[in-house]
Amino acid sequence: MTNVPELFGSMVFNDAVMQQRLPQDTYQRLRQTMKDGKHLDISIANEVAAAMKDWAVEKGATHFTHWFQPLTGVTAEKHDSFISTDKNGGVMMYFSGKELVKGESDASSFPSGGLRATFEARGYTAWDPTSYAFIKDNTLCIPTAFCSWGGEALDTKTPLLRSMETIDRQAMRILRLFGNNDVMHVRPTVGPEQEYFLVDKAVYEKRPDLIFTGRTLFGARPPKGQELDDHYYGTIKPRVAAFMAEVDEELWKLGIPDKTRHNEAAPAQHELAPIFSTANIAADYNQLTMEIIKKVARRHDLVCLLHEKPFEGVNGSGKHNNWSLSTDTGVNLFEPGDTPYQNAQFLLFLCAVVKAVDLYPEMLRISVATAGNDHRLGANEAPPAIISIFLGDELEEILDAIEGEKSYSAKEKTTMRIGVHTLPRFPKDTTDRNRTSPLAFTGNKFEFRSLGSSASISDVNTVLNTAVADVLCGFADRLESAGDFNAMLHQLICETIREHRRVIFNGNGYDQSWIAEAEKRGLPNLKDTPSALNHLLDEKNVALFERHKVLSRTELESRYEIMTENYIKVVRIEAETMLRMARQGIMPAVVRFKGETAESALRQRTFMANVDVTPETELLGTLSDYANELHSAVRDLEKELASAVSCRSITEKVKLYSGSVIPAMRRVRAAADALELICAKDVWPYPSYSDLLFSEE
Ligand code: ADP
Ligand code: MG
């Protein structure tokens, strides 16, 4: 039996270890730095580094690394050993404060967009002391931010940390106005639910598309998918259960509070979720979680697929980003309170989210925009590409009553007055069941469901924090200068509901009628990554991020470039993989099967002149038709890909990939999938969807 409390955090240089191993005053000063985000004095850093090294070496570590999150979306590390030579030619284990707080890194091999040209190639990594150091693979990992020498963010963590400072500052202004004088800081809290697929390694290795692109580019639908609903929350199979148990152990060792695990809707699909943490720590944890589930799966001869849509026609994988705001005194600001004032404060924060989402839907959409997620959004298992917010009927009724148009209770016929009336208690469950909304209020937090399974959670939370902070800033400005606080509060809430209610939608987001309705309301529907990215540099977005010093125009431009290039690369790799599989695998198999069918008919005729070969003849006819279609579709894809590859302008190029290459790929797939269903199973060169989806047994 695993002793969980003993195991938990055993590989983390956490508060308990610090307290135990650092001199009292060093510990206190480090704690202060962590709390206020202040600069760490080098003498303190030296003491912390020495203690960290001793601890790590005792645990078997030989190396250390700054662990960071460049704009590739995955983590990066460069290991250095603790070894240092002494005068006598011997070695000793050494780690300095300088090495702890700052590392130099060659930035030129990481995506930097335009930043590489304008700034020095060198970058540096700087310790984020709010995220504990940990040991992974005998290496002490120091969570760091990654910047260019000029200070430009080259990673996803730096803007997230900046956005956390911003929302802290603005939310504190509001809290002070409500008389919360004991609160010192407000932090966003995040709990991401991670979905993934598991497939058998031997089957996986026969699919070049999975190996090169993470998703299947071919595959006819299996006769049985998820229609019987027998997988969701189903009994976990022994091999998967063993995998999950090992994942939990690995995560717990790293202090990651993994809590929930279950089967998801699709066959071979699963989910795990931790208990929530402060946003930047949650982002670190989620990166580690993705790394660990992939690694542990291999040990069980399984492969973990984190792609948003590994199988067409089967549910894709998302990462529900549960987000809230919490005070350092432990109060959740989205928890409706018991007194009229607590209620008013809750409603003001709620209104801030509604307004932020209505003002910056494009940025939220962009924060989840990848080539992979394009296949998932709007595909009837994930929210549409239209950003709206779900509050639930009950809460919307309350807002209506406050706005004064309708009465809250049919019986009482009263309108609600802020600061005077207490909110009725609404059961959490009723607000939790709308699974079709991109952003749902679930009783005491917001669940953003558009995020894809393979993405870092940093960008979405950077956008949420910054946009909400911006609105809170406007609210605070007005409240601070108001003569009558209560009157202004009431006015702000009414005004926000009136002006921004178009973004509230409690209906079925999967319903086709919502698309037309959303258009009437003037809500953007940015169907794919290129159309979303078109808005990244809109003046209002640049102004938002510059105003709060979260991202500069230059940093946003570099992100535009990186995201666009990434989209182009992904689609190009997919198209090339598809062409190889069609030309080298599928076409030869079809040609062979056609030949066999023709030969069989011919041989039978030779044997017996009047034998009925209708099945062979008809099969041959159908095979011929689809084979012709496949042949022509492949030629067409080659042509479209060639023009996209040779196009020089990045804005034109991305349009060619989304507008011509992707449709050409769809045509190739349709022909190949039709052929798969009429060819003998033993001639088909690749494992089928059934082989893949029911392989984890
Ligand atoms: P589900 O959405 O499947 O019903 P839960 O409601 O149990 O799941 O929670 C999902 C995630 O939300 C968990 O990771 C949980 O820790 C997280 N969560 C709960 N409360 C908060 C909060 N105040 N802030 C951020 N995340 C939260
Ligand atoms: Mg959820």
Side-chain angles (χ1 to χ4, degrees):
M1 276 302 279
T2 315
N3 181 340
V4 180
E6 200 173 288
L7 188 76
F8 193 82
S10 58
M11 288 303 194
V12 185
F13 194 74
N14 56 22
D15 196 64
V17 183
M18 287 183 203
Q19 209 164 351
Q20 194 192 339
R21 292 184 173 248
L22 292 171
Q24 184 61 22
D25 60 323
T26 311
Y27 168 76
Q28 288 304 344
R29 287 175 69 184
L30 181 62
R31 286 290 304 168
Q32 206 53 40
T33 308
M34 289 164 70
K35 240 171 89 197
D36 300 335
K38 291 264 159 55
H39 203 73
L40 192 66
D41 195 80
I42 188 69
S43 62
I44 308 274
N46 278 331
E47 285 185 59
V48 177
M52 246 186 213
K53 185 261 301 171
D54 289 343
W55 169 81
V57 169
E58 278 167 37
K59 297 254 176 201
T62 50
H63 288 69
F64 71 91
T65 180
H66 276 199
W67 182 76
F68 57 104
Q69 296 158 31
L71 296 166
T72 49
V74 291
T75 56
E77 43 194 79
K78 174 183 148 245
H79 298 184
D80 279 306
S81 72
F82 289 122
I83 283 177
S84 148
T85 45
D86 62 23
K87 284 196 284 286
N88 310 321
V91 293
M92 51 183 221
M93 302 299 256
Y94 181 71
F95 184 46
S96 71
K98 214 170 119 234
E99 286 170 309
L100 167 64
V101 295
K102 201 164 182 174
E104 269 195 51
S105 179
D106 181 5
S108 61
S109 307
F110 293 104
S112 66
L115 291 176
R116 185 159 44 223
T118 6
F119 300 94
E120 276 192 89
R122 277 185 317 152
Y124 69 90
T125 48
W127 184 29
D128 164 15
T130 59
S131 184
Y132 298 131
F134 56 90
I135 297 172
K136 175 169 73 76
D137 301 329
N138 293 330
T139 301
L140 173 68
C141 299
I142 322 284
T144 57
F146 178 39
C147 292
S148 79
W149 217 248
E152 279 76 20
L154 293 172
D155 66 349
T156 55
K157 178 172 233 172
T158 306
L160 177 62
L161 291 172
R162 292 178 187 158
S163 75
M164 287 168 62
E165 273 178 40
T166 300
I167 199 154
D168 182 18
R169 203 175 313 123
Q170 303 306 336
M172 279 308 298
R173 288 174 67 195
I174 302 282
L175 291 189
R176 287 284 182 264
L177 286 164
F178 278 91
N180 302 278
N181 292 322
D182 52 337
V183 178
M184 299 308 288
H185 290 288
V186 171
R187 306 254 186 258
T189 51
V190 175
E193 299 162 59
Q194 176 73 52
E195 292 180 341
Y196 59 93
F197 279 88
L198 289 177
V199 296
D200 182 79
K201 186 160 150 276
V203 184
Y204 167 90
E205 277 167 356
K206 294 189 187 124
R207 295 284 311 213
D209 44 3
L210 282 181
I211 294 172
F212 293 124
T213 74
R215 73 180 181 106
T216 52
L217 301 171
F218 295 103
R221 287 189 54 156
K224 175 179 186 291
Q226 62 207 48
E227 42 283 281
L228 297 180
D229 288 326
D230 51 356
H231 193 255
Y232 190 61
Y233 283 14
T235 318
I236 299 171
K237 291 165 191 141
R239 187 171 168 200
V240 176
F243 153 84
M244 286 177 169
E246 204 175 319
V247 164
D248 273 343
E249 271 196 29
E250 294 282 337
L251 294 176
W252 289 339
K253 272 193 230 167
L254 292 174
I256 300 173
D258 193 26
K259 172 93 176 150
T260 312
R261 56 188 195 199
H262 61 79
N263 287 349
E264 256 303 322
Q269 193 182 29
H270 311 278
E271 176 183 302
L272 96 191
I275 297 171
F276 65 93
S277 331
T278 305
N280 63 318
I281 293 165
D284 287 357
Y285 284 171
N286 183 251
Q287 288 285 6
L288 284 169
T289 302
M290 290 195 285
E291 184 182 324
I292 283 166
I293 52 180
K294 280 203 257 180
K295 201 156 61 183
V296 172
R298 292 277 175 167
R299 289 187 209 142
H300 294 260
D301 285 325
L302 290 163
V303 177
C304 170
L305 306 179
L306 287 176
H307 194 283
E308 282 72 21
K309 193 75 176 176
F311 306 100
E312 198 171 273
V314 175
N315 267 16
S317 298
K319 175 145 49 195
H320 293 173
N321 186 83
N322 295 275
W323 176 93
S324 190
L325 291 173
S326 181
T327 67
D328 57 348
T329 50
V331 177
N332 178 350
L333 296 178
F334 290 107
E335 186 87 58
D338 293 320
T339 67
Y341 259 102
Q342 285 168 348
N343 287 170
Q345 184 183 296
F346 157 75
L347 285 170
L348 191 67
F349 276 97
L350 188 86
C351 282
V353 177
V354 171
K355 182 169 176 179
V357 173
D358 191 35
L359 290 181
Y360 302 105
E362 297 89 354
M363 281 314 297
L364 279 170
R365 173 67 184 86
I366 290 165
S367 72
V368 300
T370 59
N373 210 19
D374 283 356
H375 298 287
R376 172 179 163 264
L377 292 180
N380 273 340
E381 78 266 357
I386 308 158
I387 300 291
S388 66
I389 188 168
F390 168 90
L391 294 181
D393 294 333
E394 200 143 1
L395 196 49
E396 202 179 6
E397 255 182 69
I398 292 168
L399 295 184
D400 279 343
I402 295 165
E403 201 193 333
E405 284 173 0
K406 295 174 215 148
S407 42
Y408 172 63
S409 142
K411 275 175 259 132
E412 289 170 33
K413 300 268 178 229
T414 53
T415 56
M416 289 189 57
R417 182 102 195 141
I418 294 296
V420 177
H421 292 102
T422 308
L423 283 187
R425 280 276 167 187
F426 34 88
K428 267 178 207 160
D429 273 352
T430 60
T431 57
D432 192 43
R433 290 303 137 208
N434 187 323
R435 302 240 155 232
T436 68
S437 177
L439 185 65
F441 179 68
T442 55
N444 62 358
K445 60 182 170 21
F446 287 89
E447 182 167 340
F448 188 52
R449 299 184 174 127
S450 306
L451 187 61
S453 47
S454 70
S456 154
I457 63 168
S458 295
D459 288 354
V460 275
N461 291 301
T462 301
V463 173
L464 278 171
N465 296 342
T466 312
V468 173
D470 189 60
V471 175
L472 290 175
C473 175
F475 285 176
D477 286 347
R478 286 174 64 186
L479 287 168
E480 279 164 1
S481 59
D484 181 344
F485 178 76
N486 273 344
M488 178 53 84
L489 188 60
H490 195 80
Q491 190 189 327
L492 269 180
I493 291 176
C494 292
E495 189 186 291
T496 311
I497 301 165
R498 201 175 314 122
E499 287 171 11
H500 301 286
R501 75 163 341 136
R502 64 170 189 167
V503 80
I504 303 172
F505 177 60
N506 293 331
N508 182 359
Y510 295 174
D511 207 278
Q512 281 305 306
S513 63
W514 169 231
I515 297 176
E517 164 72 15
E519 197 179 332
K520 249 197 283 163
R521 296 191 190 184
L523 302 178
N525 182 6
L526 303 168
K527 292 200 189 87
D528 59 11
T529 298
S531 49
L533 286 174
N534 266 339
H535 293 277
L536 181 55
L537 297 170
D538 284 357
E539 271 319 305
K540 74 166 180 187
N541 296 330
V542 176
L544 169 72
F545 287 97
E546 290 216 309
R547 195 156 55 237
H548 298 283
K549 301 193 167 50
V550 171
L551 286 165
S552 66
R553 181 184 295 274
T554 322
E555 287 170 330
L556 284 165
E557 281 168 355
S558 87
R559 267 142 226 267
Y560 170 80
E561 219 173 281
I562 290 164
M563 290 179 81
T564 309
E565 272 175 5
N566 187 269
Y567 179 88
I568 290 170
K569 284 179 197 157
V570 167
V571 181
R572 179 177 174 169
I573 293 169
E574 287 185 350
E576 285 184 358
T577 306
M578 180 170 236
L579 285 171
R580 295 234 181 143
M581 288 174 74
R583 283 237 183 254
Q584 301 177 336
I586 295 172
M587 211 38 158
V590 171
V591 167
R592 222 174 297 138
F593 187 54
K594 263 173 77 184
E596 267 173 34
T597 313
E599 217 170 280
S600 149
L602 203 63
R603 235 186 295 123
Q604 293 177 63
R605 276 274 161 79
T606 325
F607 186 69
M608 189 171 126
N610 61 350
V611 70
D612 186 356
V613 287
T614 314
E616 287 85 345
T617 323
E618 280 191 5
L619 176 58
L620 204 54
T622 322
L623 280 169
S624 265
D625 290 347
Y626 284 133
N628 288 346
E629 168 58 11
L630 178 63
H631 178 69
S632 135
V634 164
R635 297 280 298 258
D636 186 45
L637 176 57
E638 280 167 343
K639 193 176 89 260
E640 297 298 354
L641 181 61
S643 27
V645 168
S646 63
C647 174
R648 296 202 161 258
S649 135
I650 181 169
T651 43
E652 283 309 306
K653 204 185 188 68
V654 73
K655 273 191 220 145
L656 288 178
Y657 275 102
S658 69
S660 309
V661 175
I662 289 181
M665 287 175 69
R666 240 177 256 135
R667 196 179 146 204
V668 172
R669 176 170 191 155
D673 290 358
L675 281 163
E676 185 190 340
L677 291 178
I678 54 167
C679 282
K681 175 117 174 88
D682 62 355
V683 304
W684 201 253
Y686 304 115
S688 68
Y689 266 29
S690 310
D691 300 333
L692 284 162
L693 286 165
F694 299 94
S695 70
E696 60 170 15
E697 248 85 330

